[in-house]
Amino acid sequence: MVPGALFQDAGAPPPPTWCIAQRRASLAQLQVALDWVCGPGQADCANIMAGQPCFLPDNSRGHASYAFNNYYLKNNKAYGSCNFSFLATVTTHDPTRREWSACIHGGIPSASIGAIDAIGYLELKLSGLRGRSRAEEAGLRFPTQVQMEALPVALEGRDCILHAQTGSGKTLAYMLPILSKISCQRSAVQAIVVVPTRELGIQVAQVARLLGGGVVLEETDEIDTTKRTSVSVMTLLDGGTSSRQKKWLRAAPPQLVIGTLFTVCRMIETGNLKLNAVSTIVVDEVDTAVHKGTQILVSNLLTKYSFAEKRQTIFASATVPQHNRFIHDCVQNKWTKPKIAHIYVRPEVKMPSNLSHRYVICGNEDKLSVLHATIMADAPKAAFVFANEQSEKGKREGLVPRTRAMLDFFEHKKEEMPESEASQWELLILEECMNIHARFANSRKLKDSKFLLFATDLAARGLDVPEVTHVYNLELPSSTVAYIHRAGRTARKPLEDEQCVVTTLARVAILALERQREEFHPSRAILHATAKWMPELDLKLAVLVRGGTSSSGSGVPAGEGANLRDGREKAGGGERGAKVEDDGRRGGTPFAVVVESSSLGWVDDPGAGALAFAGNDEDPSGARAGASKLTSSCPDDSATAASELDGVVGDDDLGLGGMGFGFGSPGRGTKRGCGGVRAVPPGAVLPDCAGTVLPDCPGAVLPDPGD
Ligand SMILES: Nc1ncnc2c1ncn2[C@@H]1O[C@H](COP(=O)(O)OP(=O)(O)OP(=O)(O)O)[C@@H](O)[C@H]1O
């Protein structure tokens, strides 16, 4: 009997199940299992061989899932046929997991044919000028999930919202339809892409030029109309439009304009940019554009300067807070046609699954040294290190912005190092107050050096540097949305499984620490909460202390003369917790508690506050407000929700007030329909759902019947 059949209505068909690789299985383990399944196990692995329809993307997890499922089907989903030494698991959730899903379904990626056609079509249309195909140059061999879903819709000319994880390939999902429509012979602006920052504009223009073989129209170029067999691309970016560009715009308009909202609108208002031939407008990172301050510009662009019926409108972002409301507003405001497609890819997983999250809790004055130690221990090839923007008060008082403070600290440390180590990273900075030439120079270096980039949220949107494996937050960002976009600067190879880490430093109130020196164990509060509410998380906890005796291999920093102690014990009755041997702060030495988890709890609607990063360490009240919002949106559950949340996010004495770690009962909110915490790592078993097939238990993965 299919597990959970007892829960079905008599006569109702059992829910479909698939056998997929456990997310926590290592790639080496999966390779061994794969060898067995395709060998002695006699699964039909022909389709995942090189050159066959399910070979790409060439990664162990995708291939293992294909082979496991094939074996499972071959054995008629028999009891125990999806186990493979616990490397596989049965899921009732359609494994629309990125690129290999179509193969798991039907053996051949039929769902992607539309998208492949789109890429093929473009190659035919645009590859004439250069020897190599453009798709190949861009490393595009197989469409990502959002491209598979969006391209058939967008190529039909329908208005749509592309709503998918950071790094999932949205740029191409809107750029291919744009390029496929543009007539290269016509000298008129036919499409406009609006982006929030100069840096993102430059990047998107590079993608367009690569795929469209565009003639570069920068200040240094002469107009060459003879080259107009490829798409010409012009950037109109804040702080960078010249009189020559204006002249070109009027004399020989490019076919595609990529610009920031303010500059694009100014060029339209001044008559330099004409929209009469525009057939597509894209607003990338749309949630930044529809803020109070800029909404009027968006409205002008979409309803005053051009009209929804006469063009295709595409919005894109990894975060569209209150998306139903937003869709309603789009239609009401006539920003789009009345029918708008919402391409919402894997909404239950807000972040790439190969991204893990780590929190380092340390004293405020230790932050820079703990950050430095963490980075030295991680030794990333390239990393973004974010700090919040300086407050108005800080500016008035002439304090050094945090980005600068970090840069100075690291430069100082570099001087102390032996030459060989010192040169390992180029130290870069990117923030609003820099002049545009320095910004341009630094962002260019991101592509070809081993770097640490110290940045504000200016760099949090859209920037794509695939080599970045680590992101650090000097403090909790101001909102869940900000967290998602910062974290999204890593894990940007959509068809690969490389593990990436985002590390957030959080402050502990030193006063509380001093006062309760003997009993103070910040870790205990976290442990307690974690063991109670998220026992399924594979949690590692460790303390960084100076002068300790042992160290662990968990990848936790051991710099600053500190050694790491990492002990595990049963906590809260479960196996998952960890014991902290020492609460660390001895004689003013730096300390940090490090919490690692493979997943986060997210609220459905980040705007509703709730747990995940609702506040920050300077404003704990944010977390409280979020908590009470969640509580009020869950009337059935308000009493428990309030007290449980208070235990985690409301404890100002410990200085944990604003942290909002996303601890919460994963089953609670979703099951009761109050927009609760959702993200459960694939492979985790929800306490509420274990052993059953509950279609309304999102994210739940059943234990294998053979377990
Ligand atoms: N089909 C594909 N095959 C391989 N790589 C791809 C494919 N599509 C996109 N990429 C690569 O994935 C990376 C991320 O793509 P992109 O910048 O479009 O993500 P995004 O969804 O716009 O992310 P964000 O929300 O952070 O802006 C880029 O390096 C891009 O070249």
Side-chain angles (χ1 to χ4, degrees):
M1 193 198 315
V2 176
L6 285 178
F7 294 86
Q8 307 303 313
D9 293 341
T17 52
W18 293 266
C19 179
I20 57 169
Q22 285 271 21
R23 194 167 71 87
R24 290 199 189 115
S26 74
L27 299 185
Q29 287 173 317
L30 288 175
Q31 189 57 52
V32 173
L34 194 54
D35 292 344
W36 184 87
V37 191
C38 296
Q42 297 187 346
D44 181 0
C45 297
N47 277 336
I48 49 175
M49 297 298 157
Q52 294 308 306
C54 294
F55 175 68
L56 290 174
D58 182 14
N59 68 45
S60 309
R61 203 173 303 280
H63 286 191
S65 290
Y66 177 91
F68 291 168
N69 198 51
N70 187 283
Y71 182 89
Y72 180 60
L73 291 177
K74 219 175 101 183
N75 288 284
N76 296 321
K77 303 191 176 181
Y79 188 77
S81 65
C82 178
N83 186 315
F84 309 103
S85 305
F86 306 105
L87 298 178
T89 185
V90 175
T91 176
T92 54
H93 288 273
D94 200 347
T96 44
R97 202 185 147 238
R98 299 192 292 178
E99 63 284 3
W100 35 264
S101 59
C103 279
I104 288 185
H105 282 276
I108 291 184
S110 53
S112 63
I113 282 172
I116 288 173
D117 279 354
I119 293 177
Y121 171 70
L122 265 163
E123 282 186 50
L124 277 181
K125 189 174 172 200
L126 301 168
S127 65
L129 282 184
R130 299 189 198 167
R132 288 171 66 203
S133 97
R134 303 207 185 292
E136 195 184 318
E137 271 179 59
L140 311 169
R141 292 185 297 168
F142 197 93
T144 63
Q145 188 72 35
V146 67
Q147 291 159 7
M148 280 192 220
E149 293 184 24
L151 285 172
V153 177
L155 284 166
E156 269 180 20
R158 289 177 59 193
D159 290 354
C160 50
I161 300 177
L162 311 180
H163 190 176
Q165 282 177 359
T166 53
S168 57
K170 294 184 289 295
T171 312
L172 211 70
Y174 66 70
M175 192 56 79
L176 290 176
I178 288 182
L179 295 177
S180 71
K181 268 204 277 184
I182 281 178
S183 159
C184 301
Q185 279 73 41
R186 187 167 178 206
S187 186
V189 177
Q190 296 162 48
I192 296 179
V193 178
V194 171
V195 292
T197 62
R198 206 185 150 74
E199 285 70 20
L200 184 55
I202 293 170
Q203 181 183 295
V204 172
Q206 278 165 356
V207 173
R209 284 172 186 140
L210 177 66
L211 291 168
V215 180
V216 180
L217 284 184
E218 297 286 11
E219 280 88 324
T220 50
D221 279 336
E222 292 305 322
I223 307 161
D224 182 355
T225 44
T226 59
K227 284 192 195 166
R228 287 285 172 87
T229 48
S230 55
V231 177
S232 58
V233 181
M234 179 183 273
T235 54
L236 293 177
L237 303 167
D238 292 350
T241 44
S242 66
S243 55
R244 201 152 16 139
Q245 263 182 311
K246 290 177 196 162
K247 199 178 88 192
W248 289 342
L249 260 178
R250 286 195 297 263
Q255 284 122 13
L256 171 58
V257 161
I258 294 167
T260 43
L261 188 59
F262 180 75
T263 303
V264 166
C265 288
R266 189 160 46 88
M267 296 304 258
I268 297 171
E269 285 281 348
T270 52
N272 291 298
L273 176 57
K274 303 259 186 282
L275 269 57
N276 43 336
V278 166
S279 61
T280 314
I281 293 186
V282 173
V283 183
D284 199 356
E285 309 292 347
V286 66
D287 52 321
T288 58
V290 296
H291 272 174
K292 267 191 196 139
T294 50
Q295 184 152 343
I296 180 73
L297 296 179
V298 176
S299 261
N300 286 346
L301 179 66
L302 300 178
T303 60
K304 185 172 151 194
Y305 310 140
S306 73
F307 301 101
E309 311 79 59
K310 299 205 167 157
R311 57 154 202 264
Q312 177 179 24
T313 312
I314 303 178
F315 297 135
S317 182
T319 49
V320 186
Q322 302 184 332
H323 57 259
N324 287 330
R325 173 81 199 247
F326 177 69
I327 293 169
H328 175 263
D329 288 350
C330 284
V331 177
Q332 282 292 104
N333 297 335
K334 298 195 164 49
W335 291 349
T336 63
K337 297 185 205 79
K339 280 203 168 167
I340 177 165
H342 183 206
I343 314 287
Y344 197 8
V345 179
R346 302 196 73 219
E348 75 285 6
V349 185
K350 297 278 189 263
M351 302 235 66
S353 52
N354 55 329
L355 184 56
S356 55
H357 304 262
R358 177 169 63 175
Y359 313 94
V360 178
I361 301 158
C362 61
N364 210 21
E365 77 276 25
D366 297 334
K367 270 188 171 174
L368 290 176
S369 51
V370 169
L371 175 72
H372 184 260
T374 310
I375 293 178
M376 293 303 287
D378 290 344
K381 180 169 176 237
F384 279 36
V385 190
F386 286 101
N388 293 345
E389 231 177 283
Q390 201 180 22
S391 64
E392 286 307 316
K393 186 166 168 253
K395 281 182 198 160
R396 277 198 304 277
E397 288 173 5
L399 299 179
V400 182
R402 290 181 175 96
T403 35
R404 292 273 155 196
M406 289 195 291
L407 181 70
D408 292 348
F409 187 88
F410 275 70
E411 273 175 349
H412 175 71
K413 285 280 176 192
K414 211 169 168 177
E415 280 163 20
E416 290 172 3
M417 285 179 193
E419 186 110 339
S420 55
E421 282 180 38
S423 59
Q424 61 183 323
W425 292 294
E426 181 147 11
L427 303 179
L428 303 170
I429 189 162
L430 196 59
E431 56 187 352
E432 288 77 358
C433 59
M434 291 165 70
N435 77 45
I436 54 165
H437 299 295
R439 269 168 69 168
F440 183 63
N442 278 0
S443 42
R444 272 181 79 133
K445 288 184 190 162
L446 299 180
K447 296 284 171 197
D448 41 37
S449 64
K450 187 174 175 182
F451 67 85
L452 296 179
L453 176 75
F454 301 102
T456 58
D457 283 311
L458 174 70
R461 290 276 180 161
L463 285 195
D464 179 54
V465 188
E467 283 64 42
V468 171
T469 49
H470 290 69
V471 164
Y472 299 88
N473 291 316
L474 184 68
E475 59 261 302
L476 286 164
S478 56
S479 68
T480 317
V481 168
Y483 183 89
I484 290 176
H485 288 279
R486 285 182 182 187
R489 290 322 96 210
T490 184
R492 297 190 66 82
K493 294 181 182 168
L495 305 186
E496 290 179 26
D497 270 338
E498 186 183 24
Q499 270 304 315
C500 299
V501 186
V502 50
T503 303
T504 302
L505 270 64
R507 187 174 61 120
V508 169
I510 297 303
L511 254 185
L513 189 65
E514 294 303 326
R515 201 173 60 227
Q516 306 176 19
R517 183 181 280 264
E518 292 312 312
E519 329 68 49
F520 181 73
H521 288 277
S523 51
R524 284 207 190 121
I526 295 159
L527 258 189
H528 175 70
T530 310
K532 191 168 167 198
W533 288 302
M534 296 198 91
E536 75 282 3
L537 287 188
D538 182 17
L539 190 79
K540 289 184 197 151
L541 204 85
V543 176
L544 187 72
V545 289
R546 180 175 290 172
T549 50
S550 63
S551 70
S552 99
S554 68
V556 178
E560 286 294 280
N563 282 331
L564 179 76
R565 296 181 182 184
D566 180 3
R568 283 174 165 253
E569 67 163 13
K570 294 184 180 191
E575 294 280 351
R576 299 285 186 180
K579 180 188 178 189
V580 175
E581 292 177 1
D582 193 326
D583 68 82
R585 197 165 183 84
R586 294 283 154 84
T589 57
F591 87 95
V593 179
V594 180
V595 183
E596 290 184 56
S597 103
S598 54
S599 170
L600 284 180
W602 295 106
V603 283
D604 259 352
D605 173 8
L611 286 177
F613 303 99
N616 62 38
D617 57 1
E618 287 180 351
D619 180 17
S621 60
R624 262 188 198 290
S628 59
K629 269 194 195 169
L630 177 72
T631 305
S632 58
S633 69
C634 293
D636 294 354
D637 215 14
S638 46
T640 20
S643 63
E644 289 180 5
L645 291 170
D646 258 350
V648 185
V649 293
D651 198 336
D652 292 338
D653 266 349
L654 291 183
L656 298 176
M659 293 185 52
F661 271 111
F663 294 143
S665 164
R668 174 196 307 285
T670 46
K671 279 185 76 183
R672 295 180 195 202
C674 57
V677 179
R678 272 229 177 155
V680 177
V685 177
L686 295 187
D688 288 347
C689 312
T692 64
V693 179
L694 289 179
D696 64 344
C697 205
V701 176
L702 297 175
D704 181 66
D707 287 357

